[in-house]
């Protein structure tokens, strides 16, 4: 393999640039030509592909977002779209591809691999929701962004004896809420894996008040039990309550050391895997070790239960 490509797809996440840098620099170090594909699979279909140099990835390790841009692409889900993408790669003699993104992006990578293009996935999403890996690039930064916001909200909540309902991202998983809630001392955490009745939140608020705590932060994940729903129900009980939806600020910002290191290791490992002839696989962290495993095998692996962490947070926030 002489020539490889790299793209970012799906929601951007802090640390993706560090991963791109690692793919480009470790690839060039080992004698490969590395091409950047702009705007994910959409750019691949359209042929938006440029060679990257050592210098084109300079000064990006500390930047959030992705210098390769990202996009969601319905056309790539069709056979025709995939054939167009493969034709673009063939035209440039690109035989290997590193796809940085979430599980939707991995499905695309797997299709290409089944059609003969060597592909390796790097898990990049703030949600940390990909089966087979304990960490995804961007999760740590997003959690720290939420903690910073919670610390500030707490100043105001405690000054006014108020209840705050704060909504975070996470799609179908409450990992961001759980980690940020535990680290930020949220009084209640609501996650999609274990939706609850607002009655339970109310009971916790009453118990807190009885023990002398007059402010409270309720952290919820978007989707089930959204902040707006929780606020509506609690408002009926005459509470002084405010809502903050953190939204896309969780996707941006300077990546933490953990995300930069993870991204650098995963980027270099992806190139190594391609050079060794692997395809249809993802890079992952399991038990603190950097590994690679087939997409299909990763999908079969159970995602760890949120329950123990949720119980710990409950116990420590009484
Ligand atoms: O997957 C990352 C994520 O930020 C989710 O947490 C969220 O549900 C979704 O993307 C938002 O997507 P978009 O930026 O397309 O609105």
């Amino acid at each position: 393999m002489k020539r490889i490509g790299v793209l970012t797809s799906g929601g951007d996440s802090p640390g993706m640039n560090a991963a791109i840098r690692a793919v480009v620099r470790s690839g060039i170090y080992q004698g490969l030509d590395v091409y950047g594909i702009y705007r994910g699979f959409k750019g691949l279909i359209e042929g938006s592909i440029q060679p990257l140099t050592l210098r084109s990835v300079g000064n990006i390790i500390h930047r959030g977002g992705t210098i390769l841009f990202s996009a969601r692409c319905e056309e790539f889900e069709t056979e025709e779209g995939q054939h167009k993408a493969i034709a673009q790669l063939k035209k440039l003699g690109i035989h290997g591809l590193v796809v940085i993104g979430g599980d939707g992006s991995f499905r695309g990578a797997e299709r290409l691999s089944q059609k003969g293009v060597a592909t390796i996935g790097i898990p990049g999403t703030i949600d940390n929701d990909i089966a087979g890996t304990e960490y995804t690039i961007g999760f740590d930064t997003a959690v720290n962004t939420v903690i910073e916001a919670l610390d500030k909200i707490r100043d105001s909540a405690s000054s006014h004896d108020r209840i705050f309902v704060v909504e975070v991202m996470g799609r179908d998983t409450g990992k961001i809420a759980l980690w940020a809630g535990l680290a930020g001392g949220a009084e209640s955490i609501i996650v999609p894996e274990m939706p609850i009745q607002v009655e339970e939140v109310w009971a916790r608020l009453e118990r807190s008040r009885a023990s002398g705590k007059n402010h409270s932060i309720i952290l919820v994940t978007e989707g089930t039990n959204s902040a707006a729903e929780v606020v509506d129900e609690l408002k009926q009980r005459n509470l002084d309550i405010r809502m903050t939806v953190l939204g896309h600020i969780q996707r941006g910002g300077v990546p933490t050391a953990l995300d930069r290191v993870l991204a650098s290791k995963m980027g270099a490992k992806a190139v190594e895997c391609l050079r060794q002839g692997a395809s249809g696989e993802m890079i992952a962290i399991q038990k603190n070790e950097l590994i690679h495993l087939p997409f299909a095998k990763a999908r079969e692996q159970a995602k760890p239960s949120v329950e123990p962490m949720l119980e710990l947070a409950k116990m420590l926030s009484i």
Side-chain angles (χ1 to χ4, degrees), residues 72 125-127 169-171 222 248 251:
R72 305 195 194 272
T125 161
I126 61 165
D127 301 333
M169 283 185 165
R171 211 181 284 271
E222 61 184 352
H248 285 77
R251 286 253 288 268

Side-chain angles (χ1 to χ4, degrees), residues 1-4 27 30-35 93-96:
M1 186 168 300
K2 181 78 188 83
R3 212 164 254 191
I4 63 169
Q30 288 164 101
L32 301 177
D33 297 332
V34 187
Y35 280 71
I94 298 172
H95 293 115

Side-chain angles (χ1 to χ4, degrees), residues 90-265:
K90 278 202 176 135
K91 207 158 74 183
L92 290 167
I94 298 172
H95 293 115
L97 189 63
V98 178
V99 172
I100 307 168
D103 47 11
S105 313
F106 284 4
R107 274 194 298 279
E110 198 175 15
R111 298 271 148 68
L112 288 181
S113 158
Q114 286 157 352
K115 290 184 165 59
V117 179
T119 53
I120 298 292
I122 294 181
T125 161
I126 61 165
D127 301 333
N128 200 10
D129 61 346
I130 302 182
T133 185
E134 285 152 21
Y135 286 102
T136 60
I137 297 168
F139 173 66
D140 187 59
T141 307
V143 167
N144 278 288
T145 300
V146 176
I147 292 170
E148 203 184 320
L150 290 186
D151 291 347
K152 289 177 178 160
I153 287 170
R154 187 176 294 286
D155 289 344
S156 185
S158 63
S159 304
H160 285 265
D161 285 339
R162 267 182 182 153
I163 313 297
F164 269 83
V165 179
V166 181
E167 183 178 299
V168 298
M169 283 185 165
R171 211 181 284 271
D172 302 320
T173 172
K175 294 253 183 68
I176 295 177
L178 260 184
W179 280 63
L182 184 58
E187 278 71 23
S188 285
I189 304 171
I190 308 181
V191 297
E193 288 90 337
M194 303 184 77
I196 60 168
Q197 299 297 319
V198 176
E199 283 307 319
E200 201 179 308
V201 178
W202 172 244
R204 290 178 64 79
L205 285 174
E206 290 210 301
R207 207 169 55 219
S208 279
R209 265 198 300 226
S211 74
K213 198 195 267 186
N214 292 325
H215 67 274
S216 195
I217 293 180
I218 301 162
L219 196 55
V220 308
T221 306
E222 61 184 352
T224 333
N225 289 132
S226 73
E229 280 165 27
V230 176
V231 168
D232 275 353
E233 288 200 44
L234 288 177
K235 263 198 170 154
Q236 291 163 17
R237 294 161 216 239
N238 272 337
L239 288 174
D240 191 6
I241 186 163
R242 295 288 185 276
M243 176 174 91
T244 304
V245 178
L246 293 181
H248 285 77
I249 67 161
Q250 295 161 93
R251 286 253 288 268
V254 173
T256 60
L258 180 62
D259 277 330
R260 296 184 202 192
V261 170
L262 199 61
S264 301
K265 286 185 175 180

